[in-house]
Amino acid sequence: WHWTHVAWTIWANLNNKWIIWINPYVELVPLKICNSSWFCPSYAVTKALSYSTENKLDIVNMSLWWKWDINNNSICDWIKSYTDAWGIAVVAAWNSNIDTNLFVPGWCTSAITVAAIDQNNNKAIFSNYWTKVDVAAPWVNIYSTSLNWTYRNLSGTSMSTPHIVWIISILK
């Protein structure tokens, strides 16, 4: 349900009843890296970034996090390789209400890190912040598709990030 919601936020515009617009600038390429328990091994992330580089995918959207380990920055290295070679990496800041310098990929300097804002354009109470946030986008009750041809509202930085990907896809 998470990927479906994010992908359709990038790809389509909904009006709380049906799809009213499809983004003609986007071709979705789903790369599954997490299992059903939300475990996302770093080797799967690096493999997906390698695939994205080799196949010249323009933009990657990632809603992942690991505790930052200064001695192991392979995710940031792979994001840098991808952005140096070809594309734009857009990542969710995550939802812990702490500084982004504690998490990867939010801390990766080659990624665009997206925080969440509320209805009043203030930082969302759960959104990570500070050191490495590049931009913020709406998060509250983002309406998009869900499983089995249903729709639902979701909130979080994962729901903010697709708005930035959508804008980049139009401008690119």
Side-chain angles (χ1 to χ4, degrees):
W1 56 267
H2 185 273
W3 181 88
T4 302
H5 194 278
V6 168
W8 278 79
T9 302
I10 295 167
W11 192 55
N13 189 350
L14 308 171
N15 71 355
N16 288 342
K17 293 182 181 173
W18 54 78
I19 299 167
I20 59 171
W21 185 75
I22 298 293
N23 186 339
Y25 304 104
V26 172
E27 177 183 344
L28 297 175
V29 180
L31 300 174
K32 182 176 174 145
I33 59 172
C34 302
N35 67 20
S36 60
S37 300
W38 289 81
F39 175 67
C40 313
S42 59
Y43 73 83
V45 177
T46 58
K47 186 174 179 181
L49 286 164
S50 176
Y51 177 91
S52 299
T53 302
E54 291 167 11
N55 290 281
K56 298 183 178 179
L57 302 183
D58 291 331
I59 306 168
V60 295
N61 179 89
M62 296 193 298
S63 297
L64 309 167
W65 69 275
W66 291 271
K67 282 286 196 178
W68 173 253
D69 178 356
I70 197 71
N71 298 311
N72 181 7
N73 56 4
S74 63
I75 300 296
C76 289
D77 291 344
W78 276 95
I79 289 174
K80 183 165 178 18
S81 293
Y82 167 73
T83 58
D84 285 351
W86 185 258
I88 300 168
V90 183
V91 304
W94 207 249
N95 308 316
S96 305
N97 191 31
I98 59 176
D99 192 330
T100 55
N101 73 354
L102 301 173
F103 295 99
V104 171
W107 177 247
C108 301
T109 58
S110 297
I112 297 171
T113 302
V114 183
I117 55 174
D118 66 17
Q119 310 89 310
N120 299 313
N121 291 330
N122 296 316
K123 183 189 87 62
I125 59 172
F126 58 80
S127 181
N128 286 1
Y129 56 87
W130 198 253
T131 308
K132 180 49 183 85
V133 168
D134 297 297
V135 65
W139 69 275
V140 178
N141 292 322
I142 303 301
Y143 188 74
S144 190
T145 57
S146 190
L147 298 177
N148 302 317
W149 298 100
T150 61
Y151 303 92
R152 71 191 288 187
N153 294 311
L154 290 175
S155 300
T157 59
S158 292
M159 281 61 247
S160 301
T161 305
H163 294 284
I164 302 305
V165 172
W166 187 88
I167 292 167
I168 293 170
S169 71
I170 298 297
L171 296 175
K172 194 160 173 50

